[in-house]
């Protein structure tokens, strides 16, 4: 077991020689380039960069990844490459600033936790003024009319653009002009805001390829240039999207040891010891009895829900549930009913109705009722009312499935998701599902529950039999990031491997021989982790991840409160890292995205419109990350403030503060929400 | 009488005044003249007509207000209960447990799954015993597992891109390496474009519903894999099944669909043939040139699943199109697995740029799922380069398949299935009936007993150093119950000697287990 923190640690408290003479950014930049050269030298000598003397001198700047600005030679007026305020000698950062921002101010931290004294209020969506609604409808009307006029004349004047939409040579069109109307005539007007190719790490900043179009987005061409932009779009909640650092080092080691793939499905020769380890760790992380992992987040829902319910069962699903849940339910053959988003009264009356009525026509009682909700809704930023659901569950005896795709890692004082946030024992929920794509910077998903259930799903879910197993590098990213969130318990008695597989059930039963304590949330027992895995001390003891969780909570709250105080209409829970900013008018969406991208500090954002949202409530979806610094959030607030004035987006009725006040009193604002 | 009239008088006057006031304000509203003219013309001094119109309006409003989800509340099946009765019913109701406990056979099934310690490859180590075995179970056809070039490329990618993409393709999850791999696949196959999905299994079950909608016609092989079945189920199209790998039966189906359409004078709908290149279920291979001929003759689009054949057959692994020398562009949607053929993860669909672009906004598991980690994409690109540059790999694979089949064909008590070029080799226990697929109404075999025997063979082979696996299927969820088989995946990573040795072990295990039963 090489888990001990024996790996060479850069002497992190060593002072830089020249820090006291650091008068301006110019010297800082030249200093950085010197460091960079040292780094290149080090790399050519093939020395592990973390242990080079040059770097231990300057650990506050650290290694650069391949795509950091040090290679790009851009001037740093954007504030993306280097921190706006140069670090002081005491501050030590082990991350690349472009991937994970440097922020040492301990007051910019916050704990994501539900206050039990405050009752959970149903989040009221604020309505915009009437003229906004009316202009929105009129905009859509104009767009639709124009589209039809263009179609009418287009088919007659330039029929070659329509051949693939018309019956041709005895073939029906793949997609008729009617079915594709919305895509062709409305969405294509803002195609430049979607699917933009990127390169490098999707961390605090991201490098996007610039595009142009000469034919109204019919075709989009790359200009060949790239722009580094502030990234407030990726689901990188805890900032684990990194090409450098302890997790990436572990992944590199795993590639060398295990290769890329396990070459098969879980049940047909694709099971690896890493799968067993990851599943045991996930179960421990969540405080559930057992867990299974699947190689794709979408498929976790779409292939395992059919293993849970079938004919004669009822699924009650929140109206805003993700598409993967809908696909899974449709494949299962169970009946579905929807309830109004997060409306527990509506849900209760529905429950009373369906239980009393039984199955349609026959009136036989339902075999079982499964309620599927999401922990954090990806388009609304709302949090499920879990305490109420657990109460209802006791009375109505349904089973509860919580999809924590966005909330796991991102919510709760220990990053364990909604159960942690509300301080509800995780086992009061029957099935916890989540993904590794978001907070853990990996890919795939998990399902956790009691052992009997998970074993049955291993056999009866579609993925185990037919889908490829999760690749080793992804598994190690999951294991390393998750262990660092939990912190690793140093195990006093280490037996060989520590893994004892009970002969009765070798896929699932992994008994950590020395782990008897069952408190939750607890540390990760070292015996579960692969013996070769060595994490840097800050990851090993969980302190860095704790900082990430607290930074994320601060950033989410600050972003949310800041936008509110600027006068924007936002949805969602104050602790939600997803902050939807309402735009309403379709024309303003693309303008907002383009103006954000064209700023001195370019910012990339996600705009979402119908059909992902209701027709009128088009929105910008901002995703805060632990990788952002307070300065980054300030930059975003300033950009929103200026663009919001130009586009007339500030329609909230609440109290407004000037931007300078918001930025100055951010800590007060965050703690007051 | 008089007094009542006098009391009514001011009331009447007020009524007259307010009606005239109403009328004048009504005419002030723009467009009111049109309404008035319409009412007048429809009234035509006939109150009956006005009443009819009124009823129509009320009916329209009622229909609009009626919520669709509430429809069955007012339906004749709805029983009205009092709150107390509902409470009682709620108390009374006891749901079934969430899962049925595992049977003894399920337990054995689960515990017999081998877990590999260390890297997967031709010679992995089994965790439970610590023994190194010969791997005839996992998909490492071209021997790409553990390739050092690919590993190096993956590490380089990791250091530039990190691991996760942290977003769906639409929202900054399209990394340049994804576009590179899509282009590599398209160039490799010779199609206009291709699209990358992040899981092999979810690829075709998402491609089918992206194109096939309600009312469309699908003609599919009866024995297609589970992913296709799920895709067809989700699409809600009309399905016709044809007999397994029987193109005559396909033609009959196409003709009868055609006849039916002419008879009913139905409008032109989209029509698709869905089948597999090499069938996952038994290793049979479809006659592609004939299939394409039929597709053009009856004007169908072809969705071909090459999950097994891509990366394994043809001179450089381009799949069936290379084997039969058919341009890939003649297949409308060519679906393949990056996970199986290129030893990475994910799947792809290649076709014309219209077909591909359509999926970018309509295929659920592309749109709603995070894109694949960058290093898996570059590994796959590297694997394609490897296949292009070293065609000898696939020649070795074919040689190994021949060597394996030669030994197994001589083995007593089993039936070898599938095409002789197929990299997966299934065998079932020999019995009187020779067809693999038997209608579920009259099973000519006892699935569970056969499964147990086959599992005994797998266990015995493992004890003797060869890793095998039964071909697993979800019981009760598959459309047809196929006969239990053992599936061998041949790899180019072995020498001919090694394959022959491993096959001899399998042969010996079969002999031992079967003789024990007699």
């Amino acid at each position: 077991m090489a888990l001990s923190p024996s790996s060479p640690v850069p002497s992190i408290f060593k002072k830089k020689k020249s820090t006291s003479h650091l008068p301006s950014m110019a010297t800082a930049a030249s200093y950085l380039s010197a460091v960079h050269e040292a780094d290149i030298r080090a790399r050519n000598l093939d020395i592990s960069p973390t242990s080079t003397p040059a770097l231990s001198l300057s650990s506050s700047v650290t290694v650069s990844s391949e795509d950091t600005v040090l290679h790009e030679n851009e001037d740093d007026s954007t504030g993306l490459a280097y921190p706006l305020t140069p670090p002081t000698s005491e501050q030590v950062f082990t991350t690349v600033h472009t991937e994970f921002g440097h922020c040492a101010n301990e007051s910019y931290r916050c704990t994501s936790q539900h206050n039990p004294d405050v009752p959970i209020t149903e989040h009221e969506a604020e309505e915009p003024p009437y003229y906004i609604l009316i202009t929105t409808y009129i905009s859509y009307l104009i767009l639709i009319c124009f589209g039809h006029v263009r179609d009418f004349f287009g088919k007659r004047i330039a029929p070659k653009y329509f051949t693939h939409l018309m019956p041709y040579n005895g073939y029906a069109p793949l997609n008729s002009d009617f079915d594709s109307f919305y895509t062709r005539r409305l969405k294509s007007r803002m195609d430049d805001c979607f699917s933009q190719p990127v390169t490098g790490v999707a961390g605090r900043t991201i490098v996007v390829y610039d595009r142009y179009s000469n034919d109204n987005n019919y075709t989009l061409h790359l200009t060949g240039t790239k722009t580094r932009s502030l990234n407030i779009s990726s689901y990188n909640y805890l900032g684990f999207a990194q090409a450098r650092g302890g997790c990436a080092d572990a992944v590199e080691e795993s590639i060398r040891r295990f290769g890329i793939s396990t070459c098969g499905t879980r049940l047909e020769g694709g099971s690896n010891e890493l799968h067993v380890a990851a599943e045991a760790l996930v179960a421990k992380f969540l405080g559930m009895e057992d867990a299974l992992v699947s190689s794709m987040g979408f498929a976790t829902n779409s292939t395992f829900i059919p293993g849970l319910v079938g004919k004669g069962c009822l699924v009650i699903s929140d109206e805003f549930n993700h598409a993967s849940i809908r696909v899974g339910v449709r494949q299962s053959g169970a009946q579905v009913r929807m309830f109004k988003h997060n409306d527990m009264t509506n849900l209760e009356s529905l429950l009373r109705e369906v239980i009393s009525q039984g199955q349609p026509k026959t009136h036989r009682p339902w075999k079982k009722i499964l309620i599927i909700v999401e922990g954090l809704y990806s388009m609304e930023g709302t949090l499920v009312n879990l305490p109420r659901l657990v109460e209802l569950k006791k009375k109505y005896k349904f089973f509860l499935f919580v999809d924590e795709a966005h909330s796991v890692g991102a919510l709760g004082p220990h990053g364990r998701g909604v159960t942690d946030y509300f301080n509800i024992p995780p086992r009061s929920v029957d099935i916890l599902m989540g993904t590794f794509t978001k907070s853990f910077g990996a890919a795939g998903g998990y399902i956790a529950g009691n052992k009997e259930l998970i074993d049955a799903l291993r056999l009866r879910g579609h993925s185990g039999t037919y889908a490829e197993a999760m690749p080793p590098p992804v598994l190690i990213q999951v294991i390393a990031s998750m262990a660092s969130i939990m912190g690793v318990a140093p195990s006093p008695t280490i037996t060989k491997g520590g893994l004892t597989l009970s002969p009765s059930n070798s896929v699932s039963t992994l008994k950590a021989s020395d782990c008897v304590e069952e408190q939750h949330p607890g540390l990760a027992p070292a015996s579960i982790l692969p013996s070769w895995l060595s994490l840097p001390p800050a990851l090993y003891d969980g302190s860095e991840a704790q900082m990430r969780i607290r930074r994320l909570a601060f950033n989410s709250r600050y972003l949310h409160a800041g936008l509110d105080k600027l006068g924007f209409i936002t949805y969602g829970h104050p602790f939600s890292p997803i902050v939807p900013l309402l735009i309403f008018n379709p024309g303003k969406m693309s303008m907002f995205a383009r103006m954000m991208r064209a700023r001195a500090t370019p910012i990339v954002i996600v705009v979402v419109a119908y059909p992902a949202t209701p027709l009128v409530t088009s929105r910008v979806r901002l995703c805060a990350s632990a990788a952002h610094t307070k300065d980054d959030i300030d930059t975003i607030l300033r950009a929103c403030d200026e663009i919001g004035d130009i586009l007339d987006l500030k329609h909230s009725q609440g109290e407004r503060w000037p931007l300078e006040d918001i930025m100055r009193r951010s800590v007060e604002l965050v703690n007051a929400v | 009488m008089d007094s009542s009239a006098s009391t009514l008088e001011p009331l009447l006057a007020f009524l007259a005044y307010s009606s005239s006031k109403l009328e004048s304000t009504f005419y002030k509203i723009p467009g009111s003249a049109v309404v008035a003219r319409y009412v007048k013309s429809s009234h035509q001094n006939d109150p009956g007509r006005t009443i009819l119109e009124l009823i129509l309006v009320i009916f329209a409003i009622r229909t609009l207000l009626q919520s669709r989800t509430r429809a069955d509340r007012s339906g004749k099946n709805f029983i009205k209960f009092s709150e107390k009765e509902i409470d009682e019913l709620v108390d009374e109701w006891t749901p079934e447990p969430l899962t049925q406990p595992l049977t003894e056979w399920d337990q054995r099934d689960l515990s017999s799954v081998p877990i590999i310690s260390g890297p997967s490859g031709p010679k992995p180590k089994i965790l439970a015993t610590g023994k190194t075995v010969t791997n005839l179970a996992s998909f490492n056809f071209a021997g790409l597992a553990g390739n050092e070039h690919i590993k190096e490329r993956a590490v380089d990618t990791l250091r530039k891109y990190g691991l996760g993409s942290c977003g769906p393709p639409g929202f900054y999850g399209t990394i340049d390496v994804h576009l590179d791999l899509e282009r590599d696949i398209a160039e490799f196959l010779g199609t206009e474009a291709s699209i990358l999905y992040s899981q092999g299994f979810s690829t075709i079950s998402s491609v089918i519903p992206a194109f096939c909608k309600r009312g469309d016609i699908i003609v599919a092989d009866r024995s297609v894999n589970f992913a296709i079945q799920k895709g067809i189920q989700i699409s809600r199209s009309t399905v016709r099944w044809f007999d397994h790998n029987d193109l005559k039966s396909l033609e009959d189906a196409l003709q009868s669909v055609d006849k039916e359409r002419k008879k009913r004078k139905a409008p032109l709908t989209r029509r698709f043939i869905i089948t597999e290149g090499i069938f996952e279920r038994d290793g049979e291979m479809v006659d592609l040139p004939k299939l394409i001929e039929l597709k053009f003759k009856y004007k169908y689009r072809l969705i071909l699943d090459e999950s097994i054949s891509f990366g394994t057959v043809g001179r450089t692994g381009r799949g069936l199109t290379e084997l039969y020398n058919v341009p890939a562009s003649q297949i409308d949607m060519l679906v393949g697995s990056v996970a199986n053929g290129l030893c990475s993860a994910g799947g792809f669909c290649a076709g014309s740029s219209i077909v591909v672009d359509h999926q970018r906004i309509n295929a659920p598991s592309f749109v709603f799922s995070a894109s694949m980690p960058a290093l898996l994409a570059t590994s796959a690109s590297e694997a394609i380069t490897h296949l292009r540059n070293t065609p000898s790999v696939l020649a070795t694979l074919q040689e190994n398949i021949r060597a394996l089949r030669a030994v197994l064909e001589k083995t007593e008590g089993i039936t070898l299935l599938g095409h002789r070029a197929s990299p997966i080799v299934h065998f079932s226990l020999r019995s009187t009936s020779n067809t693999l697929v038997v209608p579920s109404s009259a099973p000519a075999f006892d699935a569970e007993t056969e499964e147990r025997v086959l599992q005994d063979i797998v266990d015995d082979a493992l004890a003797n150093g060869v890793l095998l696996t039964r071909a697993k299927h979800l019981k009760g969820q598959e459309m047809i119950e196929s006969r239990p088989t053992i599936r061998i995946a041949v790899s180019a990573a072995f020498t001919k000697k090694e394959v022959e040795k491993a096959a001899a072990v399998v042969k010996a295990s079969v002999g031992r287990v079967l003789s024990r039963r007699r």
Side-chain angles (χ1 to χ4, degrees), chain A residues 65-67 164 167 169-175 183 187 194-202 209 233-235 241-244 248-249 251-252 255-263 266-269 271-273 276 295-296 298-299 303 308 322-323 327 330-331 337 352-353 355-357 361 363 365-369 395-397 399 431 437 441-443 452-453 455-456 459-462 465-468 471 473-474 477 501 504-507 604-606 621, chain B residues 69 72-73 77-79 81 83 86-87 89-91 93 95-102 106 109-111 113-120 127 137-139 145 150-152 154-155 158-172 174-176 179 198-202 211 226 230 233-234 236 268-271 295-296 299-301 333 339 343-346 354-355 358 361 364-365 368-370 373 375-376 379 469-474 477-478 487:
Chain A
S65 72
E66 293 281 327
D67 76 318
H164 65 286
N169 189 22
Y171 289 92
L174 270 183
N175 195 7
T183 323
K187 181 181 166 287
F194 299 113
S195 304
Q196 192 159 15
V198 300
T199 183
V201 180
Y209 282 91
S233 302
S234 292
Y235 305 131
Q242 287 176 292
R244 299 278 152 191
D249 293 343
V251 174
E252 175 172 342
I255 295 173
R256 299 201 190 285
R257 280 172 184 266
F258 290 87
I260 308 300
S261 163
T262 61
C263 311
R266 283 301 299 280
L267 296 184
E268 296 171 328
S271 280
N272 193 281
E273 56 181 329
V276 184
S295 55
M296 180 187 185
F298 182 94
T303 62
L308 290 168
H322 190 252
V327 170
R330 252 168 78 180
Q331 284 184 349
R337 294 293 292 270
R352 293 176 73 83
E353 185 198 318
I355 295 176
S356 63
Q357 294 295 322
K361 286 188 183 155
H363 291 291
W366 295 102
K367 284 186 184 160
K368 52 196 169 191
I369 295 178
K395 182 167 179 201
Y396 294 100
K397 296 172 279 194
F399 298 106
I431 305 139
T437 321
E452 196 175 47
L453 171 79
D455 275 347
L459 284 176
R460 293 175 198 151
H462 305 165
T465 321
Y466 303 106
E468 73 249 26
V474 181
Q477 171 80 17
L501 284 154
S504 69
N505 196 337
S506 50
V507 171
V604 290
I605 52 148
V606 165
R621 190 182 55 177
Chain B
T69 48
D72 51 349
R73 170 159 277 198
N77 268 317
F78 191 84
I79 309 170
F81 292 108
E83 289 297 302
I86 293 182
D87 282 332
L89 283 166
V90 166
D91 285 341
W93 181 60
E96 280 180 11
L98 193 50
T99 42
Q100 302 301 322
L102 295 183
D106 285 342
D109 196 9
L110 197 58
S111 61
V113 169
I115 296 177
I116 288 165
S117 160
S120 293
L127 186 65
S138 34
F139 291 158
I150 296 180
K151 280 191 194 174
E152 276 314 309
V155 170
L158 170 76
R159 289 312 185 182
K160 190 170 174 204
Y161 295 88
L163 190 99
S165 64
C166 287
F171 302 144
Y172 309 102
T174 310
I175 310 178
D176 48 4
L179 300 175
S198 47
Q199 192 191 50
F201 174 76
S202 297
F211 295 105
F226 193 71
K230 285 290 136 187
Q233 182 197 340
I234 280 280
R236 297 175 171 171
L268 187 64
T269 54
R270 287 176 283 260
R271 291 165 301 183
K295 152 201 142 59
F296 280 120
K299 297 196 191 296
Y300 273 68
R301 290 187 174 91
M333 294 108 196
C343 250
S344 170
I354 289 172
V355 162
H358 180 80
I361 33 178
S365 76
F368 295 108
S369 143
L375 66 88
L376 297 177
S379 310
T469 179
R470 284 186 298 118
K472 307 228 168 153
H473 299 287
L474 285 178
Q477 299 199 41
E478 289 261 11
R487 190 200 63 208

Side-chain angles (χ1 to χ4, degrees), chain B residues 126 128 265 336 464:
Chain B
I126 300 293
K265 297 205 174 79
N464 289 297

Side-chain angles (χ1 to χ4, degrees), chain B residues 422-439:
Chain B
S422 157
I424 53 171
V425 181
H426 286 257
F427 66 80
S428 65
L429 298 178
R430 181 170 293 168
S431 69
T432 44
S433 122
N434 268 332
T435 52
L436 171 65
V437 179
V438 180

Side-chain angles (χ1 to χ4, degrees), chain B residues 118-156:
Chain B
S120 293
K123 297 271 184 192
K125 204 167 92 184
I126 300 293
L127 186 65
T129 57
K131 264 176 49 181
T132 303
V133 294
T134 306
N135 189 353
L136 292 184
S138 34
F139 291 158
N140 178 27
F141 302 119
L144 295 164
N147 183 308
E148 289 300 324
H149 284 291
I150 296 180
K151 280 191 194 174
E152 276 314 309
R153 182 83 192 276
V155 170
D156 289 349

Side-chain angles (χ1 to χ4, degrees), chain A residues 24-39:
Chain A
S24 70
M25 275 306 291
T27 40
S30 61
Y31 179 74
L32 284 167
S33 68
V35 168
H36 171 61
E37 275 157 30
D39 171 38

Side-chain angles (χ1 to χ4, degrees), chain A residues 4-159:
Chain A
S4 55
S6 60
S7 59
V9 189
S11 47
I12 47 176
F13 295 112
K14 215 179 265 181
K15 285 203 174 186
K16 273 189 285 182
K17 277 177 202 156
S18 60
T19 31
S20 50
H21 313 294
L22 222 105
S24 70
M25 275 306 291
T27 40
S30 61
Y31 179 74
L32 284 167
S33 68
V35 168
H36 171 61
E37 275 157 30
D39 171 38
I40 289 185
R41 269 200 308 279
R43 253 191 274 175
N44 290 344
L45 289 169
D46 200 21
I47 306 168
S48 164
T50 39
S51 56
T52 49
L55 281 154
S56 61
L57 264 179
S58 61
S59 40
S60 59
V61 251
T62 66
V63 220
S64 66
S65 72
E66 293 281 327
D67 76 318
T68 49
V69 271
L70 294 171
H71 282 288
E72 288 170 15
N73 238 352
E74 72 185 310
D75 75 308
D76 189 43
S77 53
T78 59
L80 291 178
Y82 314 114
L84 287 173
T85 39
T88 63
S89 51
E90 284 80 32
Q91 295 166 1
V92 171
F93 299 105
T94 53
T95 55
V96 182
H97 188 57
T98 50
E99 290 175 8
F100 193 93
H102 298 168
C103 171
N105 190 337
E106 278 301 320
S107 58
Y108 297 150
R109 307 282 189 269
C110 176
T111 308
S112 149
Q113 191 162 22
H114 176 61
N115 181 355
D117 304 331
V118 183
I120 303 164
T121 48
E122 311 266 304
H123 189 80
E124 298 273 318
E126 197 178 342
E127 289 290 323
Y130 276 114
Y131 81 90
I132 292 289
L133 284 181
I134 291 168
T135 48
T136 305
Y137 279 118
I138 291 177
S139 309
Y140 275 109
L141 205 68
I142 293 174
L143 284 169
I144 290 168
C145 290
F146 258 84
H148 281 299
V149 169
R150 286 180 63 185
D151 271 5
F152 180 83
F153 288 108
K155 277 180 213 166
R156 282 152 184 84
I157 295 165

